Amino acid sequence: MTAVLRILLRRVALLVPLMLGIVLFVFLVMRFSDVDPASAFFQGANPTPRQLHDFREEHGLLDPLPVRYADFVADLFHGDLGTSALTRAPVIDQVTTALPLTLQLTFLGLGIAVVLSLVGGVTAAIHRDRLPDQIIRVVSLTGVAAPGFWLALLMIQYLAVDLGWFPTGGYINPADSFTGWLRTMTLPALALSLPVAAQLTRIVRTAVVEELDKDYVRTAIGSGLPPRVVVGRNVLRNALINPLTVLGLRVGYLLGGAVVIETIFSLPGMGKLMIDAVKNGDPAVVQGVVLTTAAGFVVVNLVIDVLYLLVNPRLRDATA
């Protein structure tokens, strides 16, 4: 565990320049965009040039770019993401309100993707080149090619409108009704997770096939151990190293895909918050959502790195 802790501290130290780079990129993109924070603040109020100038001066918009970046980073360290030009409310309040729903959708979709890919990938590997493998291959390739928004629209049409099994949209807090929450989140989570599950299924299948062909598996089965015991105890542990790496990258897809899925299903999460901010010309909210999403992606990949080290002792020993 000492080696893991040492590597973890090293990775956390590397995150500092990475996050500063992300903050710089977002800062520059927003500053060179066509959206003027002063005009957005006075939207619909017909401000005078003097009012616009006073607003820019008060909020440091006339300062040199390096000074504005330093002030922006200092505000971030104090948890200040700025103020919404439309609602006049702190952006951090809107983000903390919308973020829990996006996390629920992302991790529910992640759980579904992991379960489906493990079941499908292991089943295909065990029945290699036979009918189950062929069926899973066709289904997974179809899933990889199918966009999430298209799957979402199909599910709404057939499972919600035609069959009435699920609502077409909306959100119910799990504290109010867990079954209601599950019904409102099932279709969005499925639409978000199926493309990821399809890709992971192919990766899991390939990794398990490679492990099944190794000598220790033949020796263990030949010594009388049941195949399911060998697969469960040894093969899966060794085979899941590569899928774990891909899973970390796919979490970014899930976070990004939530933007479209939340809009389709009218879920008041980070995606809908950003879409509304873009449409209404609210740069501070867009900036806050992008930074929060990027930070979440970085943290999740750090967790995946730790899991990767825990299941791969050889890499842990090599990097310690």
Side-chain angles (χ1 to χ4, degrees):
M1 289 303 295
T2 304
V4 174
L5 181 60
R6 187 163 55 249
I7 296 170
L8 177 60
L9 292 176
R10 193 184 307 161
R11 297 290 173 87
V12 171
L14 292 174
L15 291 185
V16 175
L18 174 62
M19 284 305 304
L20 288 176
I22 293 173
V23 170
L24 176 62
F25 175 77
V26 174
F27 174 82
L28 292 176
V29 168
M30 295 306 299
R31 294 310 174 274
F32 288 109
S33 69
D34 294 332
V35 179
D36 179 19
S39 301
F41 183 83
F42 291 104
Q43 192 172 32
N46 295 321
T48 63
R50 182 64 186 177
Q51 287 176 310
L52 292 173
H53 181 273
D54 291 344
F55 178 89
R56 295 187 180 105
E57 187 174 26
E58 179 184 355
H59 291 81
L61 299 178
L62 301 179
D63 294 337
L65 206 59
V67 175
R68 292 165 62 187
Y69 175 68
D71 292 339
F72 179 61
V73 173
D75 289 340
L76 288 180
F77 276 113
H78 291 89
D80 184 5
L81 291 174
T83 303
S84 169
L86 298 179
T87 65
R88 310 296 194 267
V91 173
I92 189 66
D93 292 344
Q94 299 183 55
V95 169
T96 53
T97 300
L99 183 59
L101 189 148
T102 299
L103 292 178
Q104 292 169 26
L105 177 60
T106 299
F107 286 103
L108 182 59
L110 183 63
I112 293 173
V114 169
V115 172
L116 291 179
S117 61
L118 284 177
V119 173
V122 173
T123 302
I126 293 175
H127 299 88
R128 183 188 338 179
D129 297 328
R130 297 199 292 272
L131 182 60
D133 183 24
Q134 301 296 337
I135 294 175
I136 292 173
R137 180 180 302 171
V138 171
V139 172
S140 61
L141 290 176
T142 303
V144 170
F149 71 88
W150 181 73
L151 291 174
L153 295 175
L154 286 181
M155 290 178 184
I156 290 175
Q157 179 62 47
Y158 293 109
L159 299 180
V161 176
D162 293 347
L163 298 176
W165 291 352
F166 301 96
T168 57
Y171 175 72
I172 297 177
N173 195 302
D176 299 330
S177 171
F178 180 77
T179 56
W181 171 82
L182 196 59
R183 291 187 74 242
T184 57
M185 296 295 285
T186 298
L187 289 188
L190 281 173
L192 189 63
S193 65
L194 287 181
V196 176
Q199 183 181 19
L200 283 177
T201 297
R202 303 305 306 157
I203 296 172
V204 170
R205 189 254 184 206
T206 301
V208 173
V209 165
E210 290 177 355
E211 287 298 315
L212 289 175
D213 287 339
K214 291 184 177 178
D215 293 336
Y216 79 90
V217 176
R218 300 191 190 96
T219 302
I221 294 176
S223 64
L225 286 175
R228 64 178 180 275
V229 174
V230 177
V231 172
R233 288 183 181 177
N234 303 106
V235 172
L236 274 182
R237 180 183 177 90
N238 296 326
L240 291 183
I241 294 175
N242 289 334
L244 263 180
T245 306
V246 178
L247 183 63
L249 299 175
R250 292 296 88 192
V251 171
Y253 167 84
L254 292 172
L255 287 170
V259 174
V260 177
I261 299 300
E262 287 174 1
T263 304
I264 293 175
F265 287 94
S266 300
L267 297 174
M270 295 280 281
K272 190 172 186 303
L273 178 64
M274 186 169 71
I275 293 295
D276 291 343
V278 171
K279 291 193 297 185
N280 297 325
D282 199 342
V285 175
V286 175
Q287 184 174 261
V289 172
V290 171
L291 284 175
T292 304
T293 304
F297 177 68
V298 170
V299 170
V300 168
N301 275 274
L302 176 63
V303 174
I304 295 296
D305 284 345
V306 174
L307 293 176
Y308 190 81
L309 292 170
L310 290 175
V311 301
N312 191 353
R314 289 173 297 180
L315 181 63
R316 183 168 66 242
D317 296 337
T319 54

